[in-house]
Amino acid sequence: MQEIIVSTNEAGQRFDKLLAKYLNEAPKSFIYKMLRKKNIVLNGKKATGNEKLEVGDSVKLFLSDETIEKFSKVTVQKTKQKLDVIYEDENILLINKPVGMLSQKAEAKDESLVEYIITYLLESGQLTEEELRKFKPSICNRLDRNTSGLVVAGKSLLGLQKMGELFKERSMKKYYRCLVVGEVKEKQYIKGFLYKDETINKVMISQEEVIDSLPIETEYEPLWTNGKCTLLEVHLITGRTHQIRAHLASIFHPIVGDYKYGNRKINDVYKQKYKLESQLLHAYRLELPELNGELENISLKQFTAPLPKLFERILNEEKNNKG
């Protein structure tokens, strides 16, 4: 017999969700059979699995150690990547993601920011492999592999859920910095509809609603221009896949270095001059709304992530280059 005492990281979820995490190799049919036969009980009583868990609840598994070991496997993919931590408390972690790093795995063999975060928490003693059987820290927002900047991770269930809600509700403001082709003189607010063209694996922008399209809103302001290129601060109001890249390209100001949506000829010039291999797009600043309760310590705070060194170098050289 094994007993699990529900902690804050497990509370608030359905009982069967916890069991699916703890017995992650077991078929659902096995879990529900054990519930029916009272081989798994909640607070000493028969349970159906749809109960909402509270802190201090007792979960008892009247199963052999061999059975639990068979159905409960924790795979830890430890990494050696050092993280650039912008902010950390008991609930959240803010990382300045470098260019080239995946936010989440695309394939099983991949290493992503999620694996780097779990390794960091394990090595710093903030997490144990046993705790990973019931709760897995993860990220709340994603950036493209070749986009750098702020990614928010939840270290606790509270942090993961609450920060995820802020992104979903758009109550947290997200600002990016990017270098675009051409001269932009004024602050603009643009709208449109975004849809994916599966035949070319790109998102497309339309001014009219089309089948399977989603509404998008983007606001941008020029910080400086040399006539050939402009540094923009972009307020990402809606957060669709490739929204900034595709939306700016649609108004003839593609991001420098973006071969998917940008100008190949211009990108080749920057590649030859600076060895630039990725788009100059960086998730620069987050502005949080008023928060109460356990996340009150970050209420109304702003967090910024420094630009990558190559990005800074290109800006410094291009700012006064009017040739």
Side-chain angles (χ1 to χ4, degrees):
M1 189 275 288
Q2 287 190 17
E3 182 178 18
I4 304 168
I5 302 299
V6 174
S7 70
T8 54
N9 278 345
E10 294 91 55
Q13 65 183 311
R14 282 170 50 124
F15 184 27
D16 54 2
K17 297 293 184 184
L18 172 66
L19 293 175
K21 293 174 186 176
Y22 195 80
L23 301 172
N24 60 322
E25 297 287 321
K28 286 185 179 180
S29 58
F30 174 82
I31 291 174
Y32 289 116
K33 181 179 179 181
M34 294 302 100
L35 287 169
R36 289 194 302 271
K37 296 181 68 174
K38 293 181 66 173
N39 287 338
I40 300 176
V41 297
L42 177 62
N43 295 322
K45 298 178 181 178
K46 185 176 181 179
T48 61
N50 62 2
E51 296 82 2
K52 194 171 183 180
L53 297 174
E54 297 180 0
V55 174
D57 280 347
S58 166
V59 178
K60 289 183 178 178
L61 291 81
F62 294 98
L63 306 170
S64 68
D65 291 342
E66 291 78 15
T67 299
I68 294 174
E69 184 177 350
K70 174 186 175 183
F71 288 134
S72 179
K73 293 183 180 178
V74 178
T75 302
V76 179
Q77 187 178 346
K78 291 193 175 181
T79 66
K80 296 181 180 179
Q81 178 80 26
K82 185 171 178 170
L83 294 177
D84 182 4
V85 177
I86 300 297
Y87 173 81
E88 181 177 11
D89 62 28
E90 63 182 359
N91 292 304
I92 67 168
L93 187 66
L94 271 66
I95 305 298
N96 187 5
K97 185 188 85 68
V99 167
M101 181 185 288
L102 286 169
S103 292
Q104 289 183 310
K105 286 185 177 210
E107 299 177 10
K109 64 181 185 203
D110 289 337
E111 285 186 1
S112 73
L113 183 55
V114 174
E115 283 69 55
Y116 302 141
I117 288 169
I118 288 174
T119 298
Y120 168 77
L121 295 174
L122 287 169
E123 292 182 348
S124 60
Q126 300 180 66
L127 182 69
T128 66
E129 292 191 16
E130 177 63 25
E131 289 170 329
L132 278 174
R133 298 169 82 178
K134 298 172 286 183
F135 171 73
K136 183 179 178 181
S138 191
I139 58 174
C140 308
N141 65 308
R142 290 180 290 175
L143 298 177
D144 296 336
R145 181 197 282 266
N146 288 323
T147 297
S148 56
L150 282 168
V151 177
V152 180
K155 292 170 56 177
S156 68
L157 183 63
L158 172 70
L160 192 61
Q161 290 178 336
K162 185 59 182 177
M163 298 304 284
E165 286 174 12
L166 296 183
F167 279 107
K168 186 175 181 180
E169 296 167 356
R170 303 175 194 160
S171 55
M172 176 163 48
K173 292 184 177 180
K174 301 165 286 183
Y175 293 89
Y176 288 67
R177 295 277 172 96
C178 60
L179 188 68
V180 300
V181 174
E183 184 178 33
V184 181
K185 294 182 177 180
E186 297 178 347
K187 182 175 181 178
Q188 294 287 339
Y189 165 77
I190 54 177
K191 298 172 68 176
F193 293 89
L194 178 149
Y195 63 96
K196 187 168 185 180
D197 187 334
E198 299 287 354
T199 60
I200 57 175
N201 193 30
K202 288 172 66 174
V203 301
M204 309 297 287
I205 306 298
S206 170
Q207 290 307 304
E208 305 294 331
E209 187 173 6
V210 297
I211 296 173
D212 295 329
S213 66
L214 296 168
I216 57 171
E217 300 174 63
T218 310
E219 188 175 48
Y220 60 87
E221 180 177 9
L223 301 180
W224 61 254
T225 183
N226 66 6
K228 300 184 307 173
C229 61
T230 303
L231 176 65
L232 296 182
E233 176 158 284
V234 179
H235 177 201
L236 184 64
I237 300 171
T238 53
R240 313 297 187 193
T241 301
H242 296 180
Q243 177 180 323
I244 295 176
R245 297 165 64 187
H247 213 176
L248 291 176
S250 75
I251 58 167
F252 309 106
H253 292 295
I255 296 173
V256 170
D258 188 350
Y259 279 89
K260 194 176 188 79
Y261 296 99
N263 184 306
R264 174 169 290 276
K265 186 176 179 180
I266 293 174
N267 291 339
D268 285 345
V269 171
Y270 281 86
K271 185 174 183 178
Q272 183 176 12
K273 185 176 180 180
Y274 297 108
K275 295 184 170 56
L276 179 64
E277 300 285 348
S278 60
Q279 65 264 10
L280 291 177
L281 177 63
H282 179 77
Y284 181 70
R285 187 171 75 254
L286 290 175
E287 296 182 0
L288 280 85
E290 185 172 0
L291 298 169
N292 298 309
E294 293 184 62
L295 295 180
E296 189 175 6
N297 61 306
I298 56 172
S299 178
L300 299 175
K301 283 195 173 184
Q302 295 186 20
F303 299 99
T304 60
L307 294 171
K309 290 181 180 179
L310 180 58
F311 200 153
E312 284 280 15
R313 179 192 158 206
I314 293 172
L315 293 185
N316 289 336
E317 295 195 23
E318 293 295 319
K319 188 172 184 179
N320 299 310
N321 178 15
K322 301 183 185 295

